[in-house]
Structure formats: C-alpha cells, structure tokens
Amino acid sequence: MELKMNDYLLPEKILFNYEELKQELVEKIAHYETLVYTDEQIKDAKADKAALNKLKKALNEERIRVKKEYLKPFEDFEKKINEIISIIDEPVTAIDKQIKQYEEKNRQEKLEKVKELWQSLDAPEGLTFEKVFQEKFLNVSCSTKRVSQYMIDAIDKFNRDMETLEQLPAFSFEAQQVYKKTCDINKALLEGQKLLKIQKEKEEYQKKTERETKEVDTSSQTTEVSSASEETSTETEKKMWVSFSALLSTEEALALRNFFKERNVEFGHVLDNRELYLISKVFQQYYHAGIDEIKEECEDVKTVFEKLGM
C-alpha cells in the first residue's frame, strides 16, 4: 500500500510588469522624500496619499486573489490526504492500546521479581523497598543483575551512614531516626547539631536559674536572720513611753506618723499641763478607794498612771 502521485505541472511563473512598476514607484518615492508641502498644498498632499494607498490596496488584493487560485489544487489534495490519515488512525489506536497492555503486564511481572529480589536481601531496619525502588528498574533495558547491584549498594550505604551517626557524641539516636525517614545523612547530622545546641542552651538556662535561686535563698536567709535578731533584741529591750513636742507642719506631721507606723512604734496624744492637772485631781480623790487594785487589774489604767507618773 503506497501513495501514487500522477504527473502534474507546477504553476508557471506569474508574470506582470514588475520592473516597470518598481522603477516608477522608486522615482515617485524619491520625489516624495524631498517634497515639502506648503499650507496651500495640503489638499494636494492628501490627494497624493490617497493615490498611493489606492495603489497599495489594489496590489494586495491581487496578491490574495492569485494565491487563492494557486492554492485550490493543494487544498483539495490536503483534504483528501487528511481523510486517508484518519482512516489509518483507527487501527493504529487499537494496536497501540494492545501494545501498552502488553508492556504494562511485563512491568507488573518485573515489579514482582524486583520485590522478590529485595526480600531475598538482608535489608536493615528502616530501609524499605519504597525508599530504594526506582521506576527505571522496570525498563526492559535495566537487567535484574543491575537492579540487584543497585540494591546491595543502597544497603551498604545505609549501614555505613547509620554507623557514622552512631558515633555522634550526643543525640545519635535522634539523628538516626531522621536518617531512616529521609535517607539523607546531611539532614540527619543537622538534626543532631540542632538538638545539641538546644541542650546546651537549656543547660545554661538551668545553671543561670539555679544561681539566681541560690542568690534569692541566701538573701532571704540573711533577711530572716536579721529579722530574728531584731525581734530578739526588741523582745529583750524594755520599751518606755517618751513624751516630746515638736513644731511641725501638717505634711511633716503626716510624714512622722508614717515613720512610726512603718516601724511599729506605738504613739498617742500627749496631755498638756492643764489636762494632767485635772486628771490628777480626779484620781487623787479616788486614790484611797482601791486605785492600786485597779492598776493591777487593768493594763490600760496602769499605762495611764505611768504617763502621769503615779
């Protein structure tokens, strides 16, 4: 089955007054290039432009017409050829489908052989078939021997890398876990370095916290000892009422009051001479009526008498 072409004549050379037309246009163009229209000649300029555009349009239309005439035989030929090609495409598609099914069947059979080959090898924990498998294993050009060698090399590399990671001074286990997931020793080493850095930062933070805690404890113990000493001194020291007067402003008096409160100093109103006189006269009347007994029983009364000097 072949395409047989009948003899046919190629289109003859299309002849027209090419040289004459070209020469005339070259001269006119040279004239227009140096021509300068005055304001009064703008009408002539528009007429010249219109004439040139008209000639250009006529030439272009004739080009299109002649091209169509010459293409008619070719378009008919092209249409018939495409029709024949479409007839051929139908069996080609059917055959191609069968070929692909055959190739896919062979690929699946080879895949099973490759899996069996992997299972026969002593693969280490963490190195799975999926991490070693490559699509090129299923190609016809890739022999079983070649696949076997690739797998053996992958296992050897995995074991060497795991041994290298095991020698890390710290976080070797974590680094090995990353390698099992990625089979990338660089990522595994980076993970180990990152964890080591975090551990050092944590240890430094803990040391700093311990130092600060010790400083706080020492300061607290010192404060407690000082407070205890002050309390002991206060308990053993006998207190007495001291009366005095001072000329103070309101602000100064408030400041003095706050000073006493901050130090738990008891304070109160100081009686003037007239108040003392009146109170003493009253108590003198009752002096022989059991005042001593009242002083012993009531602490507040005793305090008042001490203030009065009785």
Side-chain angles (χ1 to χ4, degrees), residues 291-305:
I291 294 300
D292 290 336
E293 288 79 4
I294 294 173
K295 288 167 60 178
E296 293 297 331
E297 294 178 1
C298 182
E299 190 67 27
D300 292 338
V301 174
K302 182 179 179 182
T303 301
V304 173
F305 279 129

Side-chain angles (χ1 to χ4, degrees), residues 90-277:
E90 292 182 10
V92 168
T93 302
I95 295 170
D96 183 64
K97 183 178 179 181
Q98 294 183 45
I99 292 173
K100 288 181 178 179
Q101 291 175 347
Y102 171 78
E103 291 177 347
E104 181 60 27
K105 178 183 176 182
N106 288 342
R107 285 172 63 86
Q108 290 301 319
E109 290 176 354
K110 190 169 185 181
L111 177 61
E112 293 302 319
K113 292 180 180 179
V114 170
K115 287 182 178 180
E116 292 175 1
L117 176 61
W118 173 256
Q119 293 172 358
S120 67
L121 299 174
D122 186 16
E125 179 186 358
L127 184 61
T128 62
F129 173 77
E130 291 73 19
K131 293 176 181 177
V132 177
F133 175 76
Q134 295 186 15
E135 285 293 331
K136 66 180 182 180
F137 292 170
L138 305 182
N139 295 339
V140 177
S141 59
C142 190
S143 65
T144 303
K145 182 179 179 181
R146 184 177 173 186
V147 173
S148 175
Q149 188 59 51
Y150 181 89
M151 290 180 172
I152 293 172
D153 293 342
I155 292 173
D156 290 343
K157 182 179 183 301
F158 186 90
N159 290 331
R160 290 196 307 271
D161 290 343
M162 289 291 284
E163 290 175 1
T164 300
L165 295 172
E166 190 175 3
Q167 302 304 316
L168 292 177
F171 299 105
S172 60
F173 174 79
E174 289 79 2
Q176 286 178 329
Q177 296 308 305
V178 172
Y179 183 74
K180 287 179 180 180
K181 292 179 180 179
T182 63
C183 289
D184 189 331
I185 192 169
N186 290 326
K187 288 184 179 180
L189 290 171
L190 287 174
E191 180 67 15
Q193 293 173 1
K194 182 182 75 173
L195 293 174
L196 182 60
K197 181 181 178 182
I198 293 174
Q199 183 188 50
K200 290 182 179 179
E201 291 176 350
K202 181 179 179 181
E203 291 175 352
E204 291 176 359
Y205 173 78
Q206 289 176 339
K207 290 179 181 178
K208 180 182 178 182
T209 303
E210 290 175 359
R211 287 197 304 268
E212 292 176 350
T213 303
K214 288 181 180 179
E215 291 175 358
V216 171
D217 291 342
T218 303
S219 175
S220 176
Q221 291 175 1
T222 303
T223 302
E224 290 177 0
V225 171
S226 176
S227 299
S229 176
E230 290 177 0
E231 290 177 0
T232 303
S233 175
T234 302
E235 290 176 356
T236 57
E237 181 181 358
K238 182 179 180 181
K239 293 185 177 182
M240 64 179 65
W241 284 94
V242 178
S243 300
F244 67 92
S245 61
L247 183 61
L248 303 171
S249 66
T250 301
E251 183 179 353
E252 291 170 339
L254 291 174
L256 181 60
R257 184 191 66 180
N258 292 335
F259 175 80
F260 285 158
K261 284 185 175 182
E262 290 173 357
R263 289 160 178 75
N264 296 321
V265 176
E266 186 178 356
F267 63 94
H269 176 66
V270 178
L271 300 175
D272 58 21
N273 292 333
R274 178 177 174 76
E275 291 173 329
L276 290 172
Y277 172 75

